[in-house]
Amino acid sequence: MTAQFSPEDFKRIRTGYDADPSRSHSLHAEAYTDPRWYEYELESVFSKTWQWVCHAEKLHEPGSYIAVEIAGKPIAVVRDKKGALRAFYNVCKHRAHQLLSGEGNTSRIMCPYHAWTYDLTGQLVRAPRTEGLKDFDTNEICLDTVKVEEFCGFIFVNLDSNASPLAMQSGELAKEVMHWAPDVADLTFGHRLTYDIKSNWKNVVDNFLECYHCPIAHKDFCTLVDMDTYKVTTHGIYSSHMADAGKSSNAAYSVENATVKTHAVWWLWPTTCLMRYPGRSSMIVLNIIPAGPERALETYDFYLETPEPDEGEIEAIRYLDEVLQVEDIAIVESVQRGMATPAFTQGRIVDDPTGSGQSEHAVHHFHGLVLDAYDQSGVK
């Protein structure tokens, strides 16, 4: 059930936000702490936006599938026998049992409850012991479809049947990604890191979108990249974060033999982060998953030139896991605790008109998208 709000609630949540980041306050703390806003976001944000699922390599072969959860709803994505990509609600039309689990390859979709069986287009083809039913025709029963798209070598789904294609919504993002990472579709899965964080998902995004905190909280990172070249640009539903690799030895991990010498990062509304760090050719996908008003899950998937990380990548994975993530998780959990006190309502956005990485204009951009999503679904 969607949370109920009054016109005053929507007016209050916008108080202090200004279209000009140099005049604006941040999003209100209640958006991070009130369970009603979290429930509302599942419908107004996560059920209406493109959500990352996996690299296209996982669904390359006919019959390949993956089962995931999007906005609390079970979804299955499959490659049918003719090679078409399809997505469905992972729910049997008989008694609502989940159909597929995990990932794999199959020639059919059979419910483990009563063996109702669907082909890979979602059409019901067999329902045991239904021959005597009146007005029952398997041809009239099909799984409910969900929009699915392959974009920049990755698979995304959208629960909104009226959603426009991601390629259309995202403007120049595909062009940017393919310029800086032309081999992204050819990379292969190498490693996954997972985290369970005591913070609202928006705090995790906020922290990702600015490097204002980096010189204080991430001193090693500030030797990995040249902070003087760090620029952040906002566009529509994404932002680009670019910097040159540091020109001397760094305290994070060795990039002595790096073929990629640019730190290129993109955030795609609302929770997908594509990261190409200095080193060998690779792409890291950070997926931020809302798990409660004050809980978020994270997966970091490393796509590499080879299935096994090389020595430098093992070092980079260790740095991200044991240093950078430890620092960031401590930050967002502290902020979440602070937001739950009467001492904080909202703070000023620190804006640098030059687009420096040490500016919070991308956070402001994100907050505007959150408020717009509230407005589009809410009481006017």
Side-chain angles (χ1 to χ4, degrees):
M1 181 176 177
T2 304
Q4 298 299 308
F5 292 97
S6 67
E8 289 72 24
D9 290 320
F10 286 95
K11 182 178 180 180
R12 185 182 65 256
I13 204 69
R14 265 199 172 270
T15 304
Y17 179 85
D18 192 288
D20 181 352
S22 67
R23 296 179 181 274
S24 186
H25 283 75
S26 63
L27 196 58
H28 276 246
E30 80 172 84
Y32 298 79
T33 60
D34 188 334
R36 295 183 306 159
W37 286 113
Y38 171 77
E39 293 298 328
Y40 192 71
E41 287 162 355
L42 292 181
E43 295 300 320
S44 65
V45 176
F46 290 94
S47 294
K48 296 180 181 298
T49 52
W50 287 97
Q51 301 291 309
W52 182 84
V53 175
C54 62
H55 192 285
E57 71 165 354
K58 195 172 294 258
L59 297 173
H60 181 68
E61 299 296 328
S64 54
Y65 70 86
I66 183 171
V68 295
E69 186 175 287
I70 304 294
K73 308 294 193 299
I75 304 296
V77 186
V78 304
R79 182 78 69 177
D80 72 18
K81 292 183 177 180
K82 294 183 178 180
L85 199 59
R86 298 178 181 271
F88 315 99
Y89 280 95
N90 193 16
V91 175
C92 184
K93 302 300 285 186
H94 173 220
R95 293 274 295 282
H97 196 281
Q98 180 171 314
L99 294 165
L100 294 170
S101 299
E103 58 188 70
N105 194 287
T106 186
S107 61
R108 61 183 182 172
I109 302 171
M110 187 174 74
C111 181
Y113 194 10
H114 298 100
W116 279 37
T117 304
Y118 306 81
D119 66 22
L120 298 183
T121 71
Q123 177 64 52
L124 181 66
V125 294
R126 180 175 178 270
R129 300 184 179 274
T130 58
E131 295 80 6
L133 297 184
K134 297 178 181 179
D135 301 320
F136 180 84
D137 183 357
T138 57
N139 293 322
E140 295 178 354
I141 299 175
C142 192
L143 299 178
D144 286 16
T145 61
V146 170
K147 282 183 173 286
V148 61
E149 187 172 335
E150 184 171 338
F151 179 81
C152 291
F154 296 103
I155 306 301
F156 290 80
V157 298
N158 195 320
L159 304 189
D160 182 2
S161 60
N162 296 316
S164 57
L166 177 56
M168 181 184 300
Q169 287 188 25
S170 59
E172 298 292 304
L173 177 57
K175 183 178 178 180
E176 282 192 36
V177 172
M178 298 314 295
H179 172 76
W180 293 103
D183 60 346
V184 62
D186 300 323
L187 299 174
T188 189
F189 176 77
H191 193 76
R192 167 172 278 197
L193 298 172
T194 60
Y195 304 94
D196 192 332
I197 304 172
K198 298 173 184 175
S199 172
N200 184 273
W201 69 273
K202 295 187 294 300
N203 262 330
V204 181
V205 175
D206 287 348
N207 184 65
F208 180 87
L209 289 176
E210 50 94 351
C211 220
Y212 182 36
H213 70 284
C214 292
I216 307 302
H218 302 314
K219 289 181 168 54
D220 293 340
F221 178 81
C222 291
T223 66
L224 176 64
V225 304
D226 181 353
M227 292 301 293
D228 290 338
T229 66
Y230 203 127
K231 297 292 182 183
V232 178
T233 311
T234 61
H235 326 250
I237 62 167
Y238 76 98
S239 56
S240 304
H241 306 246
M242 301 289 177
D244 295 337
K247 296 178 175 60
S248 58
S249 61
N250 69 79
Y253 62 88
S254 174
V255 293
E256 183 178 352
N257 298 315
T259 54
V260 174
K261 300 183 184 298
T262 302
H263 173 77
V265 173
W266 299 270
W267 166 78
L268 173 64
W269 161 256
T271 54
T272 303
C273 308
L274 307 177
M275 302 182 283
R276 192 163 168 96
Y277 275 29
R280 193 166 65 145
S281 182
S282 67
M283 184 69 81
I284 308 168
V285 181
L286 163 58
N287 190 31
I288 302 165
I289 305 162
E294 298 188 340
R295 183 183 178 214
L297 307 177
E298 284 185 331
T299 59
Y300 276 81
D301 285 341
F302 293 77
Y303 296 95
L304 312 171
E305 293 181 13
T306 56
E308 295 296 327
D310 68 12
E311 188 174 322
E313 288 161 347
I314 290 172
E315 190 180 349
I317 291 168
R318 180 207 59 78
Y319 163 70
L320 198 152
D321 184 36
E322 298 179 9
V323 179
L324 194 61
Q325 275 296 94
V326 172
E327 293 166 345
D328 274 333
I329 290 172
I331 287 169
V332 298
E333 290 187 344
S334 176
V335 169
Q336 187 68 38
R337 291 192 296 270
M339 285 185 166
T341 72
F344 183 85
T345 302
Q346 59 186 156
R348 282 297 294 264
I349 293 292
V350 176
D351 176 50
D352 178 356
T354 70
S356 161
Q358 295 184 59
S359 169
E360 295 177 324
H361 59 286
V363 177
H364 173 266
H365 172 245
F366 167 53
H367 291 177
L369 290 171
V370 171
L371 292 171
D372 287 347
Y374 290 173
D375 286 349
Q376 289 166 15
S377 300
V379 179
K380 300 296 190 294

